[in-house]
Amino acid sequence: METQFPKKQILNEDGVVVDDAYKSLLDESLVKTLYTKMLRARLFDRKGVNLQRQGRIGTYVPFEGQEAAQIGSSMAMEEGDWMFPTYRDHGATLTFGHSLKNVLLYWKGRQEGCIPPEGIKIFPPAVPIASQLLHATGAAWAEKMKGTDRASIVYFGDGATSEGDFHEGLNFASVFNIPVVFFNQNNGFAISVPVEKQMKSKTIAQKAVGYDIEGIRLDGNDVFAVYFHTKAAVEKARAGGGPTLIEAVTWRYGAHTTADDPSKYRDQNESSIRRETTDPLARLEKFMQQEGIWESSWQKELEQDITLEIEAAVNEMENEQPPHLNDMFDHVFAENPWPIEDQKEAYAHVRGE
Amino acid sequence: MATAAVGTKKLTLVQAVTDGLRTMMRESENVIVLGEDVGRNGGVFRATDGLMEEFGDQRIIDTPLAESGIIGTSIGLAMNGFRPVAEMQFLGFIYPAFNQIMTHASRIRSRTLGAFTVPMVIRAPFGAGVRAPEIHSDSVEALFTHMPGIKVVVPSNPYDAKGLLIASIEDPDPVLFLEPMRCYRSSKMDVPDSKYTVEIGKGRVMKEGEQVTILTYGAMVDASLKAANEAESKGISVEVIDLRTLYPLDKELISKSVQKTGRTVIVHEAPSTGGLGDTLISLINDTSFLYMKAPIERVTGFDTPVPMFALEDHYLPNAPRITSAIHKVINF
């Protein structure tokens, strides 16, 4: 299966393009945009962990190490497309146009964090594992019925492939030829359980065979491979070619969430080694240096700009008015039924309002 | 009850469901039906009979055999502009979809403060008494009345079936539409050909009375009316209320009747503990405590799984059990 589903690469660990077919497509502006978005995601992620450590937000879910997978794939999507993330995919949602402030508000326990900016079609992060594959399929189905060429991309991890909804999502999409890209980030662990205990199959991409759809296995730390192969899958979907299952093989350097300690279930030296050898940003930097489009002053300035942007968003998040208590009551239904209205009034009365 | 008039047809409850679907599908292209065997076969109970012929297989969709898949994709369709009516072949088959309903359909509006909504209907035949195989006869409406963010309705007759179904499809939020199998073909009634609605949240007085209020719904309405008529012949005046909507309950109608009679018998075929009866007692406690002349009686299914059909007649509330409860509240 590893030969049938080879881990596709365009940019190898040394920053060398190994697939000549893509050389002409790697213009400076695209390369710099991919780097910029990955750096932004990484700096945001580190800020998220720090904010949690300082008690300024709640439990945070980090994704450092998975930037190429998230940014490459979301960059392949266009306006009007739909994105269905999990709670670990804010690298993807921020790249697709989610607001920094709202994503921070999410981790501050605020419902506003589930709301994308106007016109940006991002569903709230799915917490129940694999449930979102069906929503992505349904939303893309709706686009197909409306006769548009818009598509969905849905994110999920290696653990999600064990859930029933993984199967149901792929099966529905396959049967009805729905324009959806199933984007799997195989980071090797579902919290503590390694992928070898999650499945006996050698790859996740091979599961596509069961649905008679295309399955692609990628080096998920190679942003070029992720970007171009996802783009091809989306274009195929737009043209009526149906769904694709993409497995992006990657690694999270840190914990599942800020509430767990990965050293309990794996040797964190592995993360250090991978950081040295397969890091998605370092790899792109090497490529840019070899191409002569890397300037450390550019990178420094970029880092400063992004840091300022994130700090501004943190400020906005922290200066946000407290949530309205009524938000809890007033959005369960379009109109409050009497039990909710009674409960709301009774609570207001106790509060002396 | 509706009387024969121009522009009505005599329909069974299941035919009224079909008529409601047809009415709404003719009105809006956004109304689509998804389910197992709903297309060519017209549904295992024929609730979608003839609809594929009229609307095509892009709107009457035979799905793979996967309840979570049906509900999950319907959520995606609903929040992207469609009004899906998802059929669960039996309420007892809904459990694989529970996660989708509990964690998504019912709370997407709330999670996004209204930015995303899920206007979908889940139809499901339910209840015992038709000698169905195992698991086909469950009455688990209380799992859903307990669930924030979904309305639950149950018609007991053809007129209400069509009107409530149309109201459910037009509702901006998810509605679980429960169809008592025992009533599917038990009687025919004049049903208007045109579009009309029965308001969600409103019960109906099926029989007026002065001394006892029976609160019931679905297939138990018939059994309750039988017991009420029998009591009437012995000089006890019983009012029977068909709740029609289980969430949100018709507080005004219930409390008005209970305050008039001071005695209540609750009848449902679902198990007693945690059943809707508990919620009804709470409602009466909150609104009408000082009017009560006797403790409230409950005639319900038992806290057992619905047995296989050889024993189901013992499981189901019947007229003698209801009669006994009526006498108990009268003689307290």
Side-chain angles (χ1 to χ4, degrees):
Chain A
M1 280 296 165
E2 295 102 316
T3 34
Q4 201 180 330
F5 295 93
K7 201 158 74 176
K8 292 189 180 189
Q9 223 179 29
I10 294 176
L11 188 68
N12 75 8
E13 289 79 354
D14 301 321
V16 175
V17 173
V18 292
D19 189 338
D20 287 345
Y22 293 91
K23 259 194 174 141
S24 63
L25 303 171
L26 302 172
D27 64 81
E28 183 174 342
S29 136
L30 172 69
V31 173
K32 283 192 161 167
T33 305
L34 290 170
Y35 184 86
T36 302
K37 300 286 185 192
M38 286 204 291
L39 183 65
R40 183 168 178 259
R42 175 161 292 184
L43 294 175
F44 178 87
D45 195 58
R46 288 181 180 170
K47 188 73 195 178
V49 173
N50 284 337
L51 289 169
Q52 187 280 330
R53 297 285 183 247
Q54 295 163 3
R56 293 157 75 185
I57 58 174
T59 297
Y60 176 78
V61 174
F63 58 81
E64 185 167 346
Q66 301 183 204
E67 293 89 348
Q70 297 196 13
I71 279 64
S73 56
S74 54
M75 285 282 292
M77 306 308 289
E78 292 174 7
E79 196 181 334
D81 289 332
W82 288 84
M83 180 174 284
F84 293 80
T86 73
Y87 44 75
R88 200 187 302 288
D89 298 313
H90 18 307
T93 62
L94 287 171
T95 304
F96 196 51
H98 217 312
S99 88
L100 287 165
K101 181 181 100 173
N102 278 19
V103 173
L104 286 166
L105 284 171
Y106 184 79
W107 298 109
K108 210 185 174 194
R110 297 280 299 260
Q111 220 64 65
E112 290 87 344
C114 289
I115 307 173
E118 187 70 29
I120 308 283
K121 296 174 173 178
I122 302 174
F123 215 52
V127 177
I129 305 300
S131 57
Q132 73 278 16
L133 274 74
L134 289 161
H135 311 150
T137 301
W141 200 354
E143 294 297 335
K144 186 182 171 177
M145 288 184 192
K146 291 176 192 173
T148 78
D149 68 350
R150 297 297 89 181
S152 289
I153 187 165
V154 55
Y155 293 90
F156 56 102
D158 37 295
T161 63
S162 298
E163 292 275 7
D165 279 355
F166 166 80
H167 163 67
E168 296 191 25
L170 266 74
N171 190 46
F172 269 65
S174 156
V175 168
F176 297 105
N177 200 43
I178 291 168
V180 53
V181 176
F182 295 100
F183 193 87
N184 176 265
Q185 291 171 88
N186 176 0
N187 69 12
F189 284 86
I191 304 191
S192 67
V193 176
V195 70
E196 299 75 37
K197 286 191 178 170
Q198 202 68 243
M199 64 195 74
K200 196 179 175 189
S201 49
K202 297 286 188 294
T203 75
I204 287 169
Q206 75 193 64
K207 294 172 191 283
V209 174
Y211 307 96
D212 200 19
I213 65 171
E214 188 183 359
I216 301 171
R217 191 162 203 252
L218 301 171
D219 179 344
N221 285 13
D222 168 1
V223 73
F224 293 158
V226 175
Y227 173 71
F228 285 110
H229 288 293
T230 309
K231 205 169 162 58
V234 181
E235 277 162 13
K236 184 185 72 177
R238 294 195 202 294
T244 305
L245 171 62
I246 295 176
E247 174 189 6
V249 181
T250 183
W251 187 266
R252 69 167 144 85
Y253 294 142
H256 165 66
T257 75
T258 51
D260 92 316
D261 170 12
S263 67
K264 278 192 76 173
Y265 51 79
R266 72 182 188 194
D267 182 358
Q268 276 299 87
N269 280 332
E270 176 80 16
S271 282
S272 310
I273 294 164
R274 284 174 185 264
R275 204 186 270 279
E276 292 302 312
T277 54
T278 65
D279 185 71
L281 277 96
R283 187 186 305 201
L284 194 56
E285 182 181 332
K286 281 180 206 161
F287 168 78
M288 291 168 79
Q289 280 172 350
Q290 285 156 22
E291 292 293 302
I293 54 171
W294 178 267
E295 294 152 41
S296 51
S297 60
W298 171 77
Q299 200 277 348
K300 266 207 167 58
E301 205 173 306
L302 187 62
E303 192 164 331
Q304 277 169 4
D305 289 350
I306 293 170
T307 305
L308 286 174
E309 186 197 9
I310 293 171
E311 284 304 331
V314 171
N315 260 330
E316 278 188 80
M317 177 265 285
E318 295 196 318
N319 291 320
E320 183 77 356
Q321 293 298 306
H324 293 289
L325 171 58
N326 287 351
D327 283 350
M328 179 169 72
F329 294 110
D330 292 347
H331 297 284
V332 183
F333 297 98
E335 281 176 43
N336 288 348
W338 66 264
I340 292 178
E341 202 54 38
D342 281 6
Q343 291 157 17
K344 181 178 155 187
E345 276 174 30
Y347 188 47
H349 183 71
V350 170
R351 287 161 49 87
E353 285 170 6
Chain B
M1 298 288 155
T3 51
V6 180
T8 68
K9 266 197 278 300
K10 280 218 179 297
L11 300 179
T12 62
L13 192 152
V14 70
Q15 289 169 331
V17 167
T18 316
D19 200 47
L21 288 170
R22 187 184 292 111
T23 303
M24 291 308 286
M25 293 189 75
R26 282 180 181 167
E27 184 182 283
S28 167
E29 290 212 335
N30 293 335
V31 179
I32 54 175
V33 169
L34 300 96
E36 298 156 7
D37 309 296
V38 298
R40 194 167 297 280
N41 194 42
V44 292
F45 288 101
R46 306 292 172 263
T48 51
D49 199 23
L51 296 184
M52 196 176 86
E53 288 73 7
E54 180 173 351
F55 301 104
D57 61 4
Q58 303 296 302
R59 293 184 64 200
I60 301 289
I61 301 164
D62 271 327
T63 66
L65 205 167
E67 289 77 15
S68 183
I70 294 167
I71 301 296
T73 53
S74 292
I75 290 167
L77 286 158
M79 60 98 186
N80 194 7
F82 284 84
R83 296 254 167 180
V85 181
E87 177 176 306
M88 297 285 101
Q89 208 153 64
F90 294 85
L91 186 61
F93 297 177
I94 203 169
Y95 311 117
F98 195 81
N99 182 38
Q100 287 290 346
I101 305 170
M102 179 75 204
T103 66
H104 292 294
S106 63
R107 66 172 98 194
I108 284 170
R109 177 190 287 280
S110 186
R111 288 185 75 203
T112 61
L113 305 178
F116 290 111
T117 60
V118 182
M120 71 183 285
V121 177
I122 303 169
R123 289 182 41 243
F126 85 116
V130 298
R131 304 177 76 74
E134 278 187 286
I135 320 293
H136 290 60
S137 304
D138 286 9
S139 291
V140 288
E141 57 274 20
L143 297 179
F144 299 95
T145 54
H146 185 68
M147 180 186 285
I150 187 166
K151 295 172 186 172
V152 183
V153 303
V154 188
S156 70
N157 59 70
Y159 180 89
D160 287 347
K162 180 174 175 181
L164 267 178
L165 181 59
I166 290 172
S168 301
I169 293 171
E170 291 189 326
D171 196 274
D173 289 300
V175 179
L176 178 64
F177 186 87
L178 298 175
E179 301 167 8
M181 278 184 271
R182 215 146 68 129
C183 306
Y184 261 159
R185 296 183 174 83
S186 58
S187 66
K188 284 196 172 193
M189 191 187 241
D190 287 312
V191 174
D193 295 328
S194 57
K195 180 181 166 184
Y196 65 93
T197 56
V198 168
E199 192 183 340
I200 294 175
K202 297 289 175 201
R204 175 154 77 165
V205 177
M206 301 297 283
K207 176 190 168 307
E208 289 189 14
E210 301 301 324
Q211 293 170 280
V212 180
T213 299
I214 295 182
L215 301 174
T216 189
Y217 53 92
M220 293 298 105
V221 171
D222 271 347
S224 298
L225 283 169
K226 270 193 197 104
N229 288 329
E230 197 189 303
E232 203 83 27
S233 69
K234 294 185 176 137
I236 304 170
S237 172
V238 180
E239 183 147 299
V240 177
I241 290 180
D242 177 359
L243 296 169
R244 298 198 293 192
T245 294
L246 309 189
Y247 190 94
L249 286 163
D250 189 342
K251 181 164 74 163
E252 284 70 32
L253 185 77
I254 295 165
S255 48
K256 202 174 131 199
S257 174
V258 165
Q259 288 171 15
K260 175 177 71 177
T261 61
R263 301 179 189 87
T264 303
V265 174
I266 294 163
V267 184
H268 63 62
E269 63 176 277
S272 179
T273 301
L276 194 76
D278 291 3
T279 308
L280 288 164
I281 289 172
S282 296
L283 185 153
I284 294 165
N285 178 66
D286 291 347
T287 60
S288 315
F289 184 72
L290 295 175
Y291 294 84
M292 298 314 287
K293 297 171 184 158
I296 297 162
E297 276 298 309
R298 270 173 292 174
V299 184
T300 69
F302 304 111
D303 282 10
T304 67
V306 183
M308 288 181 75
F309 67 77
L311 286 175
E312 72 178 349
D313 291 342
H314 292 288
Y315 174 87
L316 282 170
N318 52 25
R321 280 178 66 197
I322 301 168
T323 301
S324 161
I326 291 170
H327 287 290
K328 207 167 162 190
V329 294
I330 285 288
N331 297 326
F332 175 75

